[in-house]
Amino acid sequence: MKKGIITKVAGPLVIADGMRDANMFDVVRVSKQRLIGEIIEMHGDKASIQVYEETSGLGPGEEVESTGAPLSVELGPGLIGAIYDGIQRPLNEIMKVAGTNLKRGVEVSSLDHTKKWSFTPVAKVGDAVKAGDVIGTVEETAAVLHKILVPNKVEGTIEKIEEGDYNIDEAVAVVKTDKGSVDIKMFTTWPVRIGRPYKKKLSPDILLTTGQRPIDTLFPLAKGGVAAVPGPFGSGKTVVQHQLAKWAAADIIVYIGCGERGNEMTDVLNEFPELKDPRTGNSLMERTVLIANTSDMPVAAREASIYTGITIAEYFRDMGYTVALMADSTSRWAEALREMSGRLEEMPGEEGYPAYLGSRLAQFYERAGRVLVNGTEDVEGALSVIGAVSPPGGDISEPVSQATLRIVKVFWGLDANLAYKRHFPAINWLTSYSLYTDQLEQWFSENAAPDFMKLRGRMLALLQDEAELEEIVNLVGMDALSAPDRLKLESARSIREDYLHQNAFDPTDTYTSLKKQVLMMRAILSYYDKALEALNNGANIEMLVNIPVRERIGRYKYEPENKIESEFDSIEAQLDEEINDVLKRSDD
């Protein structure tokens, strides 16, 4: 162990002399309390350490001890369903050790090293294996089959492998390599700041279906894609992330509460175990890892929580799973970077944030992707990252939002005005965008409808026209509009209220399949097309606006999936009948 002496304490930053033998990003133990810290800067034998626990009471002269290893996470059976703090200490184990009065310097294992897991081999003696190959499985929960992989940089032939019950410290297989025999255990460790390797990155051309109409239809996210959800307080960021966690087509969810308020994190910890997984009917926690890092914890731990979460997500991606990571919120992490940068007396960038803010965010987001994972066979895994951003007052011109927008390909801008009108999800359709639409066009035409992108384009055009017409209406009133413009306004209102508004708490409306989304778009646009044709043939605009079938089109979203086709046909028939009736009455 390499020991140094503290010379200065400034909040979460500790300066120690005599650390010449230590390395950048080594984990250190600070003082007799053994607080966990990480070296973030070296000048000769002087180390700057960010401490992940409260530093009050520390003073010059106390010892600092380097472990000689970077900040790493334990990866193996027992991750699913766990609730960790920012440095992968399980909160329930901390409570057992420390009780309700949490002490500093608590040391607990990230995974349970005594619990026995039932290991089932899928490889046999004599098989040639290399890093990333699956040698066996453990049924971790009803929803997750945990695959035991050959560790990085190991290649050879299996000498021994047996079915049985093992704890994670026992060897489940032995691989003979050029450098001798290697024991393979069910767990491994990985430094959090280094991305896990893969064979090849694939194009983001498959939709990550979410069942949320504004997202899937207007601003889709590809598997392995990155999205930002900026919005002011109360605009529904957390509800959007909960909906995505529950309904996105992902096998594993990693949810990072990064510097959020304690009461918000408590809500997540209480609600997630109670949320029903639509796939299995059991608790959503059976395929979720939670990392709880609240705003009253030391700021340095926010950075650790972000890296811990994405390393765990990469581990499950390497098993060939589709993983969705929610980070709520990256703004709090950026605030921690700003504080540490100020303590280090670095040259500040815009608004006091460090000049390297953009590159740090990019390093995090670029670890997402749809990839061919390491191993003999070509197995596909995907990691999608959805980062919430909390700009002060909802002003997205501030540095964190702008740096994030330069990196991510999907922007779901939440609007406080829509939230106040109780329009949820409050995604503003005029400011939001997705840069994956061109790559997803073929996928939509093959899996949703050949004309899906055309329907989407027409809906966006109507919403854009509505925004322009609203300005005229506000100036001179509705009576100044022509009949076709009035019809545009009514159709756009139908898109807003009947299509883009989605009730997360209604058992039917909370999730909409792509098939139903296509039929809903067709119903709304069919009304617009037929009413416009009737207008051109002399029909009365007031009658067209008030035909009874419009109410059925509005209620269509509450139809169960097994009735959507028959109900659509019935709506189309009624629409034709009522528009013909309006034409007859207009002629009379």
Side-chain angles (χ1 to χ4, degrees), residues 47-130:
S48 300
I49 298 158
Q50 64 177 359
V51 182
Y52 293 135
E53 298 183 81
E54 183 58 52
T55 57
S56 58
L58 285 190
E62 296 194 58
E63 282 192 345
V64 174
E65 197 177 286
S66 172
T67 62
L71 183 66
S72 301
V73 286
E74 289 188 350
L75 303 169
L79 285 171
I80 297 293
I83 301 169
Y84 293 113
D85 72 355
I87 44 181
Q88 212 204 5
R89 294 183 301 184
L91 297 183
N92 54 351
E93 292 301 316
I94 291 177
M95 196 172 79
K96 286 177 193 171
V97 173
T100 50
N101 296 320
L102 185 57
K103 298 179 185 71
R104 292 182 287 175
V106 175
E107 292 187 49
V108 289
S109 291
S110 302
L111 299 174
D112 187 340
H113 286 248
T114 57
K115 183 175 178 179
K116 296 277 188 180
W117 297 93
S118 182
F119 173 76
T120 307
V122 295
K124 58 186 185 298
V125 174
D127 285 358
V129 292
K130 62 181 186 179

Coordinates of all heavy atoms in Angstrom, one line a residue, residues 47-130:
A47 N -1.0 14.6 -4.9 CA -2.3 14.0 -5.5 C -3.5 14.8 -5.1 O -3.6 15.1 -3.9 CB -2.4 12.5 -5.2
S48 N -4.3 15.2 -6.1 CA -5.7 15.8 -5.8 C -6.7 14.6 -5.8 O -6.8 13.9 -6.8 CB -6.0 16.8 -6.8 OG -5.0 17.8 -6.9
I49 N -7.4 14.5 -4.7 CA -8.3 13.4 -4.5 C -9.7 13.9 -4.4 O -10.0 14.8 -3.6 CB -7.9 12.6 -3.3 CG1 -6.5 12.0 -3.4 CG2 -8.9 11.4 -3.0 CD1 -5.8 11.7 -2.1
Q50 N -10.7 13.3 -5.2 CA -12.1 13.6 -4.9 C -12.6 12.5 -4.0 O -12.5 11.4 -4.3 CB -12.9 13.8 -6.2 CG -13.1 12.6 -7.1 CD -13.9 12.9 -8.3 OE1 -14.5 14.0 -8.4 NE2 -14.1 12.0 -9.1
V51 N -13.2 12.9 -2.9 CA -13.7 12.0 -1.9 C -15.2 11.8 -2.0 O -15.9 12.8 -2.1 CB -13.3 12.5 -0.4 CG1 -13.8 11.5 0.6 CG2 -11.8 12.8 -0.3
Y52 N -15.6 10.5 -2.0 CA -17.0 10.2 -2.3 C -17.8 10.2 -1.0 O -19.0 9.7 -1.1 CB -17.1 8.8 -3.0 CG -16.5 8.8 -4.4 CD1 -15.6 7.8 -4.8 CD2 -16.8 9.9 -5.3 CE1 -15.1 7.9 -6.1 CE2 -16.2 9.9 -6.5 CZ -15.4 8.9 -6.9 OH -14.9 8.9 -8.2
E53 N -17.3 10.7 0.1 CA -18.0 10.8 1.3 C -17.8 12.1 2.0 O -16.9 12.8 1.6 CB -17.7 9.6 2.2 CG -18.0 8.2 1.6 CD -17.7 7.1 2.6 OE1 -18.5 6.8 3.5 OE2 -16.6 6.5 2.4
E54 N -18.6 12.4 3.0 CA -18.5 13.7 3.7 C -17.1 13.9 4.3 O -16.6 12.9 5.0 CB -19.6 13.8 4.7 CG -19.6 15.1 5.5 CD -19.9 16.3 4.6 OE1 -20.8 16.3 3.8 OE2 -19.1 17.2 4.7
T55 N -16.5 15.1 4.1 CA -15.1 15.2 4.6 C -15.0 16.1 5.8 O -13.9 16.5 6.2 CB -14.2 15.9 3.5 OG1 -14.8 17.1 3.1 CG2 -14.0 14.9 2.3
S56 N -16.1 16.5 6.4 CA -16.0 17.3 7.6 C -15.2 16.6 8.7 O -15.4 15.4 8.9 CB -17.4 17.7 8.1 OG -18.1 16.5 8.4
G57 N -14.4 17.4 9.4 CA -13.6 16.8 10.5 C -12.2 16.3 10.0 O -11.4 16.0 10.8
L58 N -12.0 16.2 8.7 CA -10.7 15.8 8.2 C -9.7 17.0 8.3 O -10.2 18.1 8.2 CB -10.7 15.4 6.7 CG -11.3 14.1 6.3 CD1 -11.0 13.8 4.9 CD2 -10.8 12.9 7.2
G59 N -8.5 16.7 8.5 CA -7.5 17.8 8.6 C -6.1 17.4 8.1 O -5.9 16.2 7.9
P60 N -5.2 18.4 7.9 CA -3.9 18.0 7.5 C -3.2 17.1 8.5 O -3.4 17.1 9.7 CB -3.2 19.4 7.4 CG -4.3 20.4 7.3 CD -5.4 19.8 8.0
G61 N -2.3 16.3 7.9 CA -1.5 15.4 8.8 C -2.1 13.9 8.8 O -1.3 13.0 9.2
E62 N -3.3 13.8 8.4 CA -3.9 12.4 8.4 C -3.4 11.6 7.2 O -3.0 12.2 6.1 CB -5.4 12.5 8.4 CG -6.0 13.1 9.7 CD -7.4 12.9 9.9 OE1 -7.9 11.7 9.9 OE2 -8.2 13.9 10.0
E63 N -3.4 10.3 7.3 CA -2.9 9.5 6.2 C -3.9 9.2 5.1 O -5.1 9.2 5.3 CB -2.5 8.1 6.8 CG -1.2 8.2 7.6 CD -0.7 6.8 7.9 OE1 -1.4 5.8 7.8 OE2 0.5 6.6 8.2
V64 N -3.3 9.0 3.9 CA -4.1 8.6 2.7 C -3.4 7.3 2.2 O -2.1 7.3 2.1 CB -4.1 9.7 1.6 CG1 -4.7 9.1 0.4 CG2 -4.8 10.9 2.1
E65 N -4.2 6.3 1.9 CA -3.6 5.0 1.5 C -4.2 4.7 0.1 O -5.4 4.6 -0.1 CB -4.1 4.0 2.6 CG -3.3 2.7 2.6 CD -3.8 1.8 3.7 OE1 -3.5 2.0 4.9 OE2 -4.5 0.8 3.3
S66 N -3.3 4.4 -0.8 CA -3.7 4.0 -2.2 C -3.9 2.5 -2.3 O -3.1 1.8 -1.7 CB -2.7 4.5 -3.2 OG -3.0 3.9 -4.5
T67 N -5.0 2.1 -2.9 CA -5.2 0.7 -3.1 C -4.5 0.1 -4.3 O -4.4 -1.1 -4.5 CB -6.7 0.4 -3.3 OG1 -7.2 1.1 -4.5 CG2 -7.6 0.9 -2.1
G68 N -4.0 1.1 -5.2 CA -3.3 0.6 -6.4 C -4.1 0.2 -7.5 O -3.7 -0.3 -8.5
A69 N -5.5 0.3 -7.3 CA -6.4 -0.1 -8.4 C -7.4 1.0 -8.7 O -7.8 1.8 -7.8 CB -7.2 -1.4 -7.9
P70 N -7.8 1.1 -9.9 CA -8.8 2.1 -10.3 C -10.2 1.8 -9.7 O -10.5 0.6 -9.3 CB -8.9 2.1 -11.8 CG -8.4 0.7 -12.2 CD -7.5 0.2 -11.1
L71 N -11.1 2.8 -9.7 CA -12.5 2.5 -9.3 C -13.1 1.5 -10.2 O -13.2 1.7 -11.4 CB -13.3 3.9 -9.3 CG -14.7 3.8 -8.8 CD1 -14.7 3.5 -7.3 CD2 -15.5 5.1 -9.1
S72 N -13.5 0.4 -9.6 CA -14.1 -0.7 -10.4 C -15.4 -1.2 -9.8 O -15.7 -0.9 -8.6 CB -13.1 -1.9 -10.4 OG -11.8 -1.5 -11.0
V73 N -16.2 -1.9 -10.6 CA -17.4 -2.5 -10.1 C -17.3 -4.0 -10.2 O -16.6 -4.6 -11.1 CB -18.6 -2.0 -11.0 CG1 -19.0 -0.6 -10.7 CG2 -18.4 -2.2 -12.5
E74 N -18.0 -4.7 -9.4 CA -18.2 -6.2 -9.4 C -19.3 -6.5 -10.3 O -20.4 -6.0 -10.1 CB -18.4 -6.7 -8.0 CG -17.2 -6.6 -7.1 CD -17.3 -7.4 -5.8 OE1 -18.5 -7.8 -5.5 OE2 -16.3 -7.5 -5.1
L75 N -19.1 -7.4 -11.3 CA -20.1 -7.8 -12.2 C -20.4 -9.3 -12.1 O -19.4 -10.1 -12.3 CB -19.6 -7.4 -13.6 CG -19.3 -5.9 -13.8 CD1 -18.6 -5.7 -15.2 CD2 -20.5 -5.0 -13.8
G76 N -21.6 -9.7 -11.8 CA -21.9 -11.1 -11.7 C -23.3 -11.3 -11.2 O -24.1 -10.3 -11.0
P77 N -23.8 -12.5 -10.9 CA -25.1 -12.7 -10.4 C -25.3 -11.9 -9.1 O -24.5 -11.9 -8.2 CB -25.1 -14.2 -10.1 CG -24.1 -14.8 -11.0 CD -23.0 -13.7 -11.1
G78 N -26.5 -11.4 -9.0 CA -26.9 -10.6 -7.8 C -27.0 -9.1 -8.1 O -27.5 -8.3 -7.3
L79 N -26.7 -8.7 -9.4 CA -26.9 -7.3 -9.7 C -28.3 -6.9 -9.9 O -28.8 -5.9 -9.5 CB -26.2 -7.0 -11.1 CG -24.6 -6.9 -11.1 CD1 -24.1 -6.9 -12.5 CD2 -24.2 -5.7 -10.3
I80 N -29.1 -7.8 -10.5 CA -30.5 -7.5 -10.8 C -31.3 -7.4 -9.5 O -31.2 -8.2 -8.6 CB -31.1 -8.6 -11.7 CG1 -30.4 -8.7 -13.1 CG2 -32.6 -8.4 -11.9 CD1 -30.6 -7.5 -14.0
G81 N -32.1 -6.3 -9.5 CA -32.9 -6.1 -8.3 C -32.2 -5.4 -7.2 O -32.8 -5.0 -6.2
A82 N -30.9 -5.1 -7.4 CA -30.1 -4.5 -6.3 C -30.3 -3.0 -6.4 O -30.6 -2.4 -7.4 CB -28.6 -4.8 -6.5
I83 N -30.2 -2.3 -5.2 CA -30.2 -0.9 -5.1 C -28.9 -0.4 -4.5 O -28.5 -0.8 -3.4 CB -31.4 -0.4 -4.2 CG1 -32.7 -0.9 -4.7 CG2 -31.4 1.1 -4.0 CD1 -33.9 -0.8 -3.8
Y84 N -28.1 0.3 -5.4 CA -26.8 0.7 -5.0 C -26.7 2.2 -4.7 O -27.5 2.9 -5.2 CB -25.8 0.3 -6.1 CG -25.6 -1.2 -6.3 CD1 -26.0 -1.8 -7.5 CD2 -25.0 -2.0 -5.3 CE1 -25.8 -3.1 -7.7 CE2 -24.8 -3.3 -5.5 CZ -25.2 -3.9 -6.7 OH -25.0 -5.2 -6.9
D85 N -25.6 2.6 -4.0 CA -25.3 4.0 -4.0 C -24.3 4.3 -5.2 O -24.1 3.4 -6.0 CB -24.7 4.4 -2.6 CG -23.3 3.9 -2.4 OD1 -22.8 3.1 -3.2 OD2 -22.7 4.2 -1.4
G86 N -23.8 5.5 -5.2 CA -23.0 5.8 -6.4 C -21.7 5.0 -6.6 O -21.2 5.0 -7.8
I87 N -21.2 4.4 -5.6 CA -20.0 3.6 -5.7 C -20.2 2.1 -5.5 O -19.4 1.4 -5.0 CB -18.8 4.1 -4.8 CG1 -19.4 4.4 -3.4 CG2 -18.2 5.4 -5.4 CD1 -18.3 5.0 -2.5
Q88 N -21.4 1.7 -5.9 CA -21.8 0.3 -5.9 C -21.8 -0.4 -4.6 O -21.3 -1.5 -4.4 CB -21.0 -0.5 -7.0 CG -21.9 -1.7 -7.6 CD -21.0 -2.8 -8.1 OE1 -19.8 -2.9 -8.0 NE2 -21.7 -3.8 -8.7
R89 N -22.2 0.3 -3.5 CA -22.4 -0.3 -2.2 C -23.9 -0.5 -2.1 O -24.7 0.4 -2.2 CB -21.9 0.6 -1.1 CG -20.4 0.8 -1.1 CD -19.9 1.6 0.0 NE -20.5 3.0 0.0 CZ -20.2 3.9 0.9 NH1 -19.3 3.7 1.8 NH2 -20.8 5.1 0.9
P90 N -24.3 -1.8 -1.9 CA -25.8 -2.1 -1.8 C -26.3 -1.4 -0.5 O -25.8 -1.6 0.6 CB -25.8 -3.6 -1.7 CG -24.4 -4.1 -1.4 CD -23.5 -3.0 -1.7
L91 N -27.4 -0.6 -0.7 CA -28.0 0.2 0.4 C -28.5 -0.7 1.5 O -28.4 -0.4 2.7 CB -29.0 1.1 -0.2 CG -28.5 2.2 -1.1 CD1 -29.7 3.1 -1.6 CD2 -27.4 3.0 -0.5
N92 N -29.2 -1.8 1.1 CA -29.7 -2.7 2.2 C -28.6 -3.3 3.0 O -28.8 -3.5 4.2 CB -30.7 -3.8 1.6 CG -30.0 -4.6 0.5 OD1 -28.9 -4.3 0.0 ND2 -30.7 -5.6 0.0
E93 N -27.5 -3.6 2.4 CA -26.4 -4.2 3.2 C -25.7 -3.1 4.1 O -25.3 -3.4 5.2 CB -25.3 -4.8 2.3 CG -25.7 -6.0 1.5 CD -26.1 -7.1 2.4 OE1 -25.4 -7.4 3.4 OE2 -27.2 -7.8 2.1
I94 N -25.7 -1.9 3.6 CA -25.1 -0.8 4.4 C -26.0 -0.6 5.7 O -25.6 -0.4 6.8 CB -25.1 0.5 3.6 CG1 -24.0 0.4 2.5 CG2 -24.8 1.7 4.5 CD1 -23.9 1.7 1.6
M95 N -27.4 -0.7 5.4 CA -28.3 -0.6 6.6 C -28.1 -1.7 7.6 O -28.2 -1.4 8.8 CB -29.7 -0.5 6.1 CG -30.7 0.0 7.1 SD -32.3 0.2 6.4 CE -33.0 -1.4 6.5
K96 N -27.8 -2.9 7.1 CA -27.6 -4.0 8.1 C -26.4 -3.8 8.9 O -26.3 -4.1 10.1 CB -27.4 -5.3 7.3 CG -28.7 -5.9 6.7 CD -28.4 -7.2 6.0 CE -29.6 -7.6 5.1 NZ -29.3 -8.7 4.2
V97 N -25.3 -3.2 8.3 CA -24.0 -3.0 9.0 C -24.1 -1.7 9.9 O -23.7 -1.7 11.0 CB -22.9 -2.8 7.9 CG1 -21.6 -2.4 8.6 CG2 -22.7 -4.1 7.2
A98 N -24.7 -0.6 9.3 CA -24.6 0.7 10.0 C -25.9 1.0 10.7 O -26.0 2.0 11.4 CB -24.2 1.7 9.0
G99 N -27.0 0.3 10.4 CA -28.3 0.7 11.0 C -28.8 2.0 10.2 O -28.4 2.3 9.1
T100 N -29.8 2.7 10.9 CA -30.3 3.9 10.2 C -29.4 5.1 10.4 O -29.6 6.0 9.6 CB -31.7 4.2 10.8 OG1 -31.6 4.2 12.3 CG2 -32.8 3.1 10.4
N101 N -28.5 5.1 11.3 CA -27.5 6.2 11.4 C -26.3 5.8 10.6 O -25.4 5.2 11.1 CB -27.1 6.4 12.9 CG -28.3 6.8 13.7 OD1 -29.1 7.6 13.3 ND2 -28.4 6.3 14.9
L102 N -26.3 6.3 9.3 CA -25.3 5.9 8.4 C -23.9 6.5 8.8 O -23.8 7.8 9.0 CB -25.7 6.4 7.0 CG -24.7 6.0 5.8 CD1 -24.6 4.5 5.8 CD2 -25.3 6.5 4.5
K103 N -22.9 5.7 8.9 CA -21.6 6.2 9.3 C -20.7 6.3 8.0 O -21.0 5.6 7.0 CB -20.9 5.2 10.2 CG -21.6 5.0 11.6 CD -20.9 4.0 12.5 CE -21.6 3.7 13.7 NZ -22.9 2.9 13.5
R104 N -19.7 7.1 8.1 CA -18.8 7.2 7.0 C -17.8 6.0 6.9 O -17.5 5.4 8.0 CB -18.0 8.5 7.1 CG -18.9 9.7 6.9 CD -18.1 11.0 6.9 NE -17.6 11.3 8.3 CZ -16.8 12.4 8.5 NH1 -16.4 13.1 7.6 NH2 -16.5 12.6 9.8
G105 N -17.3 5.7 5.7 CA -16.3 4.7 5.6 C -16.8 3.3 5.7 O -16.0 2.4 5.9
V106 N -18.1 3.1 5.5 CA -18.7 1.7 5.6 C -18.1 0.9 4.5 O -18.2 1.3 3.3 CB -20.2 1.8 5.6 CG1 -20.8 0.4 5.6 CG2 -20.7 2.5 6.8
E107 N -17.7 -0.3 4.7 CA -17.2 -1.2 3.7 C -18.1 -2.4 3.6 O -18.2 -3.2 4.5 CB -15.7 -1.6 4.0 CG -14.7 -0.5 3.9 CD -13.3 -1.0 4.0 OE1 -12.9 -1.9 3.3 OE2 -12.5 -0.4 4.8
V108 N -18.7 -2.6 2.4 CA -19.6 -3.7 2.2 C -19.3 -4.2 0.8 O -18.9 -3.4 -0.1 CB -21.1 -3.5 2.4 CG1 -21.5 -3.3 3.8 CG2 -21.5 -2.3 1.5
S109 N -19.5 -5.5 0.6 CA -19.3 -6.1 -0.8 C -20.4 -5.7 -1.7 O -21.6 -5.6 -1.3 CB -19.2 -7.6 -0.7 OG -18.0 -8.0 -0.1
S110 N -20.1 -5.4 -3.0 CA -21.1 -5.0 -3.9 C -22.0 -6.2 -4.2 O -23.2 -6.0 -4.4 CB -20.4 -4.6 -5.2 OG -19.6 -3.5 -5.0
L111 N -21.5 -7.4 -4.3 CA -22.3 -8.6 -4.5 C -22.2 -9.5 -3.3 O -21.2 -9.5 -2.6 CB -21.7 -9.4 -5.8 CG -21.8 -8.6 -7.1 CD1 -21.1 -9.4 -8.2 CD2 -23.2 -8.3 -7.5
D112 N -23.2 -10.4 -3.1 CA -23.1 -11.3 -2.0 C -22.2 -12.5 -2.4 O -22.5 -13.3 -3.3 CB -24.6 -11.8 -1.8 CG -24.7 -12.7 -0.5 OD1 -23.6 -13.2 -0.1 OD2 -25.8 -12.9 0.0
H113 N -21.1 -12.6 -1.6 CA -20.1 -13.6 -1.9 C -20.4 -14.9 -1.3 O -19.6 -15.9 -1.5 CB -18.7 -13.1 -1.5 CG -18.1 -12.0 -2.4 ND1 -17.1 -12.2 -3.3 CD2 -18.6 -10.8 -2.7 CE1 -16.8 -11.1 -4.0 NE2 -17.7 -10.2 -3.6
T114 N -21.4 -15.0 -0.5 CA -21.7 -16.3 0.2 C -22.9 -17.0 -0.4 O -23.0 -18.2 -0.3 CB -22.0 -16.0 1.7 OG1 -23.1 -15.1 1.8 CG2 -20.8 -15.4 2.4
K115 N -23.8 -16.3 -1.1 CA -25.0 -16.9 -1.7 C -24.6 -17.9 -2.8 O -23.7 -17.6 -3.6 CB -25.9 -15.8 -2.3 CG -27.2 -16.3 -2.8 CD -28.1 -15.2 -3.3 CE -29.4 -15.8 -3.9 NZ -30.3 -14.8 -4.3
K116 N -25.3 -19.0 -2.7 CA -25.0 -20.1 -3.8 C -26.0 -19.8 -4.9 O -27.2 -19.6 -4.8 CB -25.3 -21.4 -3.2 CG -24.4 -21.8 -2.0 CD -23.1 -22.4 -2.6 CE -22.2 -23.0 -1.4 NZ -20.9 -23.5 -1.9
W117 N -25.4 -20.0 -6.1 CA -26.2 -19.8 -7.4 C -26.2 -21.2 -8.1 O -25.1 -21.8 -8.1 CB -25.7 -18.7 -8.3 CG -25.8 -17.4 -7.7 CD1 -24.8 -16.7 -6.9 CD2 -26.9 -16.4 -7.7 NE1 -25.2 -15.5 -6.5 CE2 -26.5 -15.3 -7.0 CE3 -28.1 -16.5 -8.3 CZ2 -27.3 -14.2 -6.8 CZ3 -29.0 -15.4 -8.1 CH2 -28.6 -14.3 -7.4
S118 N -27.2 -21.5 -8.8 CA -27.3 -22.8 -9.5 C -26.7 -22.5 -10.9 O -27.3 -21.8 -11.8 CB -28.7 -23.3 -9.6 OG -28.8 -24.5 -10.3
F119 N -25.5 -23.1 -11.2 CA -24.9 -22.9 -12.5 C -25.1 -24.0 -13.4 O -25.0 -25.2 -13.1 CB -23.3 -22.8 -12.2 CG -22.5 -22.7 -13.5 CD1 -22.4 -21.6 -14.2 CD2 -21.8 -23.9 -13.9 CE1 -21.6 -21.5 -15.3 CE2 -21.0 -23.8 -15.0 CZ -20.9 -22.7 -15.8
T120 N -25.6 -23.7 -14.7 CA -25.9 -24.7 -15.7 C -24.9 -24.4 -16.9 O -25.0 -23.4 -17.5 CB -27.3 -24.5 -16.2 OG1 -28.2 -24.6 -15.1 CG2 -27.7 -25.6 -17.2
P121 N -24.0 -25.4 -17.1 CA -23.0 -25.2 -18.2 C -23.7 -25.2 -19.6 O -24.7 -26.0 -19.8 CB -22.0 -26.3 -18.1 CG -22.4 -27.0 -16.8 CD -23.8 -26.7 -16.5
V122 N -23.2 -24.4 -20.5 CA -23.7 -24.6 -21.9 C -22.5 -25.0 -22.8 O -22.6 -25.3 -24.0 CB -24.3 -23.3 -22.5 CG1 -25.6 -23.0 -21.8 CG2 -23.3 -22.1 -22.4
A123 N -21.3 -24.9 -22.2 CA -20.0 -25.3 -22.9 C -19.6 -26.7 -22.3 O -20.1 -27.0 -21.2 CB -18.9 -24.3 -22.8
K124 N -18.7 -27.4 -22.9 CA -18.3 -28.7 -22.4 C -16.8 -28.8 -22.4 O -16.1 -28.0 -23.1 CB -19.0 -29.9 -23.1 CG -18.7 -29.9 -24.6 CD -19.5 -31.0 -25.2 CE -19.2 -31.2 -26.7 NZ -19.5 -30.0 -27.5
V125 N -16.2 -29.8 -21.7 CA -14.8 -30.0 -21.7 C -14.3 -30.2 -23.1 O -14.9 -30.9 -23.9 CB -14.4 -31.2 -20.8 CG1 -12.9 -31.5 -20.9 CG2 -14.8 -30.9 -19.4
G126 N -13.2 -29.5 -23.5 CA -12.6 -29.7 -24.8 C -13.0 -28.6 -25.8 O -12.4 -28.4 -26.8
D127 N -14.0 -27.8 -25.4 CA -14.5 -26.7 -26.3 C -13.4 -25.6 -26.3 O -12.9 -25.2 -25.2 CB -15.8 -26.1 -25.8 CG -17.0 -27.0 -26.1 OD1 -16.8 -28.0 -26.8 OD2 -18.1 -26.6 -25.8
A128 N -13.2 -25.0 -27.5 CA -12.3 -23.9 -27.6 C -13.1 -22.6 -27.3 O -14.2 -22.4 -27.9 CB -11.7 -23.8 -29.0
V129 N -12.7 -21.8 -26.4 CA -13.4 -20.6 -26.1 C -12.5 -19.3 -26.1 O -11.3 -19.5 -25.9 CB -14.1 -20.7 -24.7 CG1 -15.2 -21.7 -24.7 CG2 -13.1 -21.0 -23.6
K130 N -13.1 -18.2 -26.2 CA -12.3 -16.9 -26.1 C -13.2 -15.9 -25.4 O -14.4 -16.1 -25.1 CB -11.9 -16.4 -27.5 CG -13.0 -16.1 -28.5 CD -12.3 -15.6 -29.8 CE -13.4 -15.1 -30.8 NZ -12.8 -14.7 -32.0

